[in-house]
Amino acid sequence: QVQLVESGGGAVQAGGSLRLSCAASGRTFYAMGWFRQAPGKEREFVTAIDWSGSDTYYVDSVKGRFTISRDNAKNTVYLQMNGLKPEDTAVYYCALSKTFRTTDVMTLYDYWGQGTQVTVSS
């Protein structure tokens, strides 16, 4: 059984930065991803990283601003968010996919964290 715990959310002004962390327990050498859900909207894919950390994939709206990385020795995945915009406001979830490659398909993710709130004010 895998457990995922996110941290690092908070409130920032537009243009600011946050770094989210996702600590995993259990066997975690699989692809990991970050999703987000804004109020009244469906959960959407943000970024993913393969098991080795060598392949990453981003939704167009965050390219050049967000960076996903992982430290397998610490069983932790990070999401560095720079240049935050009010439209980035959402609950951010990390997820683990029992595949080895990056994917934006939500149904391919097997385990989910509880989410962490990110609020960006203008």
Side-chain angles (χ1 to χ4, degrees):
Q1 187 71 13
V2 174
Q3 291 186 322
L4 304 175
V5 179
E6 302 99 334
S7 61
V12 296
Q13 291 189 329
S17 298
L18 284 173
R19 188 176 83 154
L20 306 183
S21 299
C22 174
S25 64
R27 182 177 175 86
T28 57
F29 289 94
Y30 296 108
M32 300 284 292
W34 287 95
F35 290 76
R36 66 186 178 186
Q37 187 166 18
K41 295 187 177 181
E42 294 186 351
R43 192 171 299 187
E44 66 172 357
F45 170 79
V46 177
T47 180
I49 189 167
D50 74 341
W51 71 275
S52 70
S54 62
D55 183 40
T56 58
Y57 175 47
Y58 298 89
V59 69
D60 286 347
S61 60
V62 307
K63 284 180 181 177
R65 300 188 298 122
F66 290 11
T67 302
I68 189 171
S69 61
R70 68 190 299 161
D71 183 340
N72 285 341
K74 296 182 178 179
N75 285 342
T76 301
V77 174
Y78 305 98
L79 181 62
Q80 178 67 44
M81 305 186 293
N82 299 327
L84 283 161
K85 303 176 181 181
E87 52 264 42
D88 295 318
T89 295
V91 177
Y92 282 70
Y93 299 89
C94 75
L96 181 148
S97 173
K98 293 177 71 174
T99 65
F100 295 99
R101 296 180 292 178
T102 57
T103 179
D104 60 357
V105 179
M106 198 177 307
T107 55
L108 292 181
Y109 285 84
D110 303 280
Y111 300 97
W112 293 82
Q114 83 287 352
T116 185
Q117 176 71 46
V118 171
T119 303
V120 185
S121 59
S122 58

